[in-house]
Amino acid sequence: MKLAVNYSPQAFDLLKSGLIKFDLFKSPNWKDMVADAGRLLPVYVHFDLSVGDGRLSKVDWIEVEDFLSATGTQTVNVHVVAPPELNPCIGAQLDQLSDTIIEEVLSVCKRFGPDHVIAENVPLPASGKEYLRPVALPPFFQRLVTETGCGMLLDLAHAAITAKTLHTDPLQFFSEFPLRRLKEIHITGLGLHEGEIHDHMEMRDQDWTLFESAIDQIKIGNWRTPEIIAFEYGGTGAPFVWRSESRVLLHQVPRLYDLVHYGDSKNAS
């Protein structure tokens, strides 16, 4: 497993100074950011691609292929979403959405190969966005990976938000996703901001407990060992200006690195 960290000026400076270490920068498909991050570490690209909302037909696939070639990124990720006008109580709409998502993921798999495509779960918040419920739950991902052959990108923070909305145990909820096809994990803390629960926050005790439990499941073989575990704290621009602190990275990245590389000292001996 490799530990990736969101590119941010703070992470870049700490890494350059030797105060933290990790394996990869995680970057959106932004050429300038990829180039800047690549001056210090290999970069993998997390694409702004979605299925289920009609946007896939507008993707510039040549650009996607250029990013894959330039960075050596091994997978193309898609976010599984639903259109806001979806009524989750109407079965015919649900069937049509499911078929559309599967068809769209199959088209991406046809282009890149199913082993190089991963589907990410979105969060289901407690207030609003009820239209996301059908595609935020594990049964849909079980069907998706079975019918397309794609892999699973399990965002633990997203799943924890959904579990909280459903009033269910998050660890049990995690285990219901198709973890036999797990390729990547995203992890951040959760916290309140302006009255709403948000991810991309610093890790708190409950977040560490969930992540350590996930690592334990990987260790004992209940979950497939993913290639990448990405810490999605920090970034650039207005969405991250209040949650991209050097203090957090300095204290949390080393702990994450030790958890992700738990077998290194054993293998070295």
Side-chain angles (χ1 to χ4, degrees):
M1 294 186 293
K2 293 182 178 180
L3 175 64
V5 174
N6 269 12
Y7 175 85
S8 67
Q10 294 83 0
F12 186 94
D13 290 343
L14 290 170
L15 180 69
K16 187 175 181 179
S17 301
L19 296 174
I20 61 174
K21 65 178 179 178
F22 49 95
D23 304 302
L24 299 165
F25 270 117
K26 173 178 168 286
S27 171
N29 45 306
W30 298 352
K31 292 181 180 179
D32 290 346
M33 183 178 287
V34 168
D36 193 35
R39 294 190 291 122
L40 284 185
L41 271 185
V43 182
Y44 92 99
V45 176
H46 185 70
F47 294 95
D48 182 22
L49 303 177
S50 62
V51 292
D53 61 357
R55 291 193 294 161
L56 197 70
S57 62
K58 302 174 183 177
V59 172
D60 182 346
W61 293 110
I62 300 301
E63 181 182 68
V64 171
E65 291 167 356
D66 287 345
F67 273 112
L68 295 176
S69 177
T71 63
T73 300
Q74 295 297 304
T75 55
V76 176
N77 63 285
V78 295
H79 303 84
V80 180
V81 297
E85 61 270 19
L86 176 76
N87 185 334
C89 296
I90 299 178
Q93 288 189 18
L94 293 180
D95 290 344
Q96 182 177 3
L97 175 65
S98 298
D99 291 344
T100 296
I101 291 174
I102 288 171
E103 289 174 7
E104 290 184 335
V105 173
L106 281 171
S107 72
V108 183
C109 290
K110 184 178 180 180
R111 179 179 289 270
F112 298 103
D115 287 339
H116 298 284
V117 178
I118 50 178
E120 178 179 356
N121 58 302
V122 294
L124 177 66
S127 58
K129 297 187 178 181
E130 188 65 16
Y131 62 91
L132 290 174
R133 180 178 291 267
V135 297
L137 303 182
F140 181 75
F141 282 88
Q142 292 285 0
R143 178 186 172 190
L144 183 64
V145 303
T146 297
E147 296 192 21
T148 68
C150 75
M152 179 76 213
L153 192 173
L154 179 62
D155 189 309
L156 294 180
H158 289 177
I161 290 172
T162 303
K164 184 176 180 65
T165 298
L166 300 176
H167 305 289
T168 191
D169 175 63
L171 291 176
Q172 177 58 40
F173 187 70
F174 295 167
S175 71
E176 295 171 8
F177 284 92
L179 301 174
R180 68 191 184 282
R181 294 287 299 170
L182 185 63
K183 295 289 190 72
E184 186 172 328
I185 287 175
H186 289 178
I187 178 67
T188 65
L190 298 179
L192 287 176
H193 178 68
E194 297 180 348
E196 296 286 341
I197 190 167
H198 285 265
D199 56 351
H200 300 279
M201 308 282 273
E202 67 179 290
M203 302 274 283
R204 307 289 186 181
D205 287 346
Q206 66 270 24
D207 307 307
W208 286 111
T209 297
L210 291 178
F211 182 61
E212 289 167 355
S213 297
I215 291 293
D216 287 342
Q217 293 300 308
I218 293 168
K219 286 180 180 179
I220 63 179
N222 287 343
W223 295 18
R224 182 185 182 275
T225 302
E227 284 75 21
I228 292 174
I229 295 181
F231 184 39
E232 293 194 299
Y233 178 85
T236 61
F240 287 100
V241 68
W242 52 274
R243 46 183 172 174
S244 194
E245 297 183 59
S246 296
R247 169 191 62 83
V248 174
L249 293 161
L250 185 61
H251 288 90
Q252 301 200 339
V253 170
R255 182 173 176 181
L256 288 164
Y257 188 90
D258 288 343
L259 286 166
V260 170
H261 290 276
Y262 62 84
D264 285 3
S265 59
K266 179 180 177 180
N267 293 338
S269 63

